[in-house]
Every structure is written in C-alpha cells, then in structure tokens.
Amino acid sequence: TKQEKISLMEWISWTVKHLEDNLEAKPNGFNLGLNDGEVAGQTVGQLHFHVIPRYKNDVSDPRGGVRHVIPLKAKYWD
C-alpha cells in the first residue's frame, strides 16, 4: 500500500541515521538495495532491504550495485 511504502522509506531513513550515529567509523555514503524476484537476484523469499554503509576507497571502483560490495562474500551461495 502507499502507507507501507512510506513506512519502508521512514525505516530506511531511521536505519541510515542510526548507523551514522553509532558506527565508530562514520560512513561516507550508503548503498540501498532491494532484489525483487529471482531474476533480480533475490535469494531470500521475503521482503527485505539492504542498507550498506560505504567508506571512501573501501573498494577500487564502487560502481555496479551492491552485490559485489564485499568481494569475498559476492558468491555467498557457493
């Protein structure tokens, strides 16, 4: 519903602020991600949203989405 979408954005905003306020190393940015459906990479069959704190130079090239933010965990299903 429209209200559920609004609530989701409020929860994401709360989560970002909470991480900014509580992580010892303050993030320089965030990746926000949702994989909706198997063809989009969804592997957990429930609604969930990824909020990933990012730091300058944490990877050599941060472009390309959230899947490979942590290269050693990119293929966690193997």
Side-chain angles (χ1 to χ4, degrees):
T1 67
K2 182 178 180 178
Q3 185 55 50
E4 289 170 326
K5 292 174 186 175
I6 291 169
S7 293
L8 177 59
M9 293 308 298
E10 289 172 346
W11 295 331
I12 292 167
S13 293
W14 181 92
T15 301
V16 167
K17 179 158 179 19
H18 179 78
L19 292 171
E20 288 174 333
D21 291 346
N22 290 283
L23 288 175
E24 188 171 324
K26 302 299 181 205
N28 302 111
F30 288 87
N31 281 107
L32 306 175
L34 170 69
N35 301 329
D36 187 11
E38 185 177 341
V39 299
Q42 183 176 7
T43 57
V44 177
Q46 65 187 34
L47 175 64
H48 63 283
F49 209 93
H50 302 263
V51 179
I52 304 170
R54 298 301 304 274
Y55 300 91
K56 185 174 181 168
N57 299 319
D58 60 357
V59 295
S60 59
D61 185 354
R63 297 174 297 175
V66 299
R67 177 67 69 186
H68 293 278
V69 168
I70 305 170
L72 295 176
K73 302 218 180 242
K75 295 187 98 179
Y76 62 88
W77 54 87
D78 287 341

